[in-house]
Amino acid sequence: MSKRRVDEDSDIDVSSTDESDVEVGATEEDMEEVINVDFDYFDLNPQVDFHATKTFLRQLFGDDALRFDISGLADLILTENAVGTTIKTDGQEGDPFALLSVIDLNAHSAKPSVRVVLDYILEKTKVNTEFNMVLKKLLNPAKTTKDLNKQLRVGLIISERMINMPVEVVPPMYKMLFEEMEKAEDAHEKYEFDYFLVISKIYKLVHANISTDEDEQKSKKKKVSMKDGKEEEFDYFHFEDVVLEKNARYHGQYEYTEKHQETDSRRVFTEYGIDPRLSVLLLTKDGLKKSVPEMEEQFPPF
């Protein structure tokens, strides 16, 4: 079912480098073309979205994706979830370019495909003692509040998209997610989450041995101070994470267990390579709700 279309077309500039298509001596401005793309928002479609959802999950979990039951997770997202959004350009039967949904960790924590993810997150966050202790309490099936009739509930946000999708499509997806959770017939039973756990990715910049003063001045990346006084620079695959981190109760970045590609092999047309890292964020319901209008302000529609 189609939800709604982005109000305005997305203008994507494509610079052609094929001389057979342009006159010799043509200016750079003459070579530019504008392609209008309509992004449509749709409900999850188990009949069409399964393979794309698996691709998004493999992309989201990076080098450690082989550790997880990707098919089981994709099936859970599409068949047992009533909320979520995909973005397509060729109608409901087309392949999705982006996906956002949420998994009820309390209801599905016993499922093997989900349990592996939870154990993985708990293992990675051991280096952040307080964060790890909070997650253990939240993700443990035992009661986590003094009120025995209420267990704190956690939703796992699954958000991924094609690498060239603009971040501006994300705020409407989060807005729709909250609207769907609030309007669902069984909203109180399924979607009354107290916390949201977000799995994402960032990357460490691995610089060349030679750098210039100009390079240092231009660097506006996220810098993390290390114990030895050195600073590591990080940047985001998902720029909305800048807002989510600001409103998160806890967040951390961790090295993947597996290393399938050297950073130098990712060094393309730049003086640095990239070292992808796992990013884990924990937000309260209010923290995630607060993030949505901030995303809209920072990443307004086209």
Side-chain angles (χ1 to χ4, degrees):
M1 175 181 177
S2 178
K3 295 181 176 179
R4 67 181 178 85
R5 175 172 293 183
V6 173
D7 294 336
E8 298 181 16
D9 292 340
S10 171
D11 292 338
I12 302 177
D13 293 335
V14 180
S15 297
S16 172
T17 57
D18 187 349
E19 291 188 0
S20 64
D21 294 335
V22 296
E23 296 181 5
V24 177
T27 65
E28 182 177 346
E29 183 176 351
D30 293 334
M31 294 170 62
E32 291 184 353
E33 297 179 11
V34 175
I35 300 176
N36 294 322
V37 180
D38 292 329
F39 292 128
D40 293 326
Y41 295 78
F42 290 91
D43 292 325
L44 304 181
N45 186 341
Q47 306 303 319
V48 177
D49 300 339
F50 182 70
H51 292 292
T53 300
K54 290 201 302 180
T55 299
F56 286 142
L57 288 169
R58 282 192 290 265
Q59 183 174 302
L60 183 63
F61 287 112
D63 287 346
D64 287 344
L66 293 176
R67 292 175 164 263
F68 306 104
D69 178 6
I70 297 298
S71 293
L73 288 171
D75 187 63
L76 175 62
I77 292 169
L78 295 173
T79 62
E80 298 195 37
N81 258 8
V83 298
T85 298
T86 58
I87 294 180
K88 303 180 180 183
T89 61
D90 295 324
Q92 187 174 6
E93 301 302 314
D95 291 327
F97 286 17
L99 176 144
L100 176 67
S101 188
V102 61
I103 295 175
D104 185 342
L105 293 181
N106 299 78
H108 301 297
S109 61
K111 287 184 168 62
S113 60
V114 175
R115 190 69 251 171
V116 172
V117 175
L118 300 185
D119 290 342
Y120 174 79
I121 293 173
L122 291 174
E123 178 65 28
K124 289 297 181 185
T125 56
K126 278 184 178 179
V127 294
N128 304 111
T129 305
E130 185 177 346
F131 188 11
N132 184 258
M133 290 178 62
V134 170
L135 286 176
K136 282 182 177 179
K137 291 180 179 179
L138 290 174
L139 303 178
N140 193 314
K143 300 297 182 181
T144 58
T145 67
K146 294 181 180 179
D147 182 358
L148 296 180
N149 294 318
K150 177 175 172 58
Q151 179 180 349
L152 293 177
R153 302 184 62 186
V154 185
L156 175 64
I157 294 289
I158 301 294
S159 176
E160 188 55 292
R161 57 188 182 271
M162 293 179 65
I163 196 167
N164 59 343
M165 282 291 286
V167 66
E168 287 83 1
V169 303
V170 175
M173 296 179 78
Y174 270 102
K175 193 172 183 178
M176 291 176 192
L177 181 66
F178 271 109
E179 290 174 353
E180 286 185 277
M181 289 191 295
E182 292 171 357
K183 294 178 180 179
E185 292 182 5
D186 48 1
H188 181 70
E189 297 177 8
K190 285 189 174 182
Y191 304 115
E192 195 64 38
F193 297 116
D194 300 284
Y195 288 88
F196 290 92
L197 188 63
V198 181
I199 294 177
S200 190
K201 298 184 303 179
I202 62 174
Y203 58 89
K204 175 185 174 183
L205 300 178
V206 182
H207 289 275
N209 293 328
I210 300 175
S211 61
T212 65
D213 293 338
E214 184 179 358
D215 292 333
E216 294 295 328
Q217 293 173 0
K218 288 183 178 179
S219 178
K220 296 182 180 179
K221 313 300 183 185
K222 173 182 177 180
K223 295 186 177 182
V224 178
S225 297
M226 306 302 291
K227 291 182 179 180
D228 58 5
K230 295 181 180 179
E231 285 188 333
E232 291 186 318
E233 293 186 77
F234 293 87
D235 206 350
Y236 298 88
F237 287 105
H238 295 167
F239 288 111
E240 67 271 19
D241 288 353
V242 176
V243 177
L244 294 177
E245 281 188 7
K246 184 178 68 172
N247 294 315
R249 180 69 61 88
Y250 299 97
H251 68 85
Q253 56 87 11
Y254 313 94
E255 292 187 14
Y256 289 114
T257 304
E258 305 292 335
K259 291 286 185 181
H260 297 302
Q261 192 173 358
E262 295 297 327
T263 57
D264 281 347
S265 67
R266 305 177 196 260
R267 196 187 304 270
V268 182
F269 304 124
T270 66
E271 294 186 356
Y272 59 84
I274 63 172
D275 182 12
R277 302 288 180 90
L278 171 74
S279 175
V280 181
L281 305 93
L282 181 68
L283 297 93
T284 63
K285 180 179 180 179
D286 289 341
L288 187 58
K289 273 193 167 183
K290 181 175 181 288
S291 298
V292 176
E294 291 181 7
M295 287 184 197
E296 291 178 312
E297 181 179 357
Q298 190 160 342
F299 310 112
F302 313 101

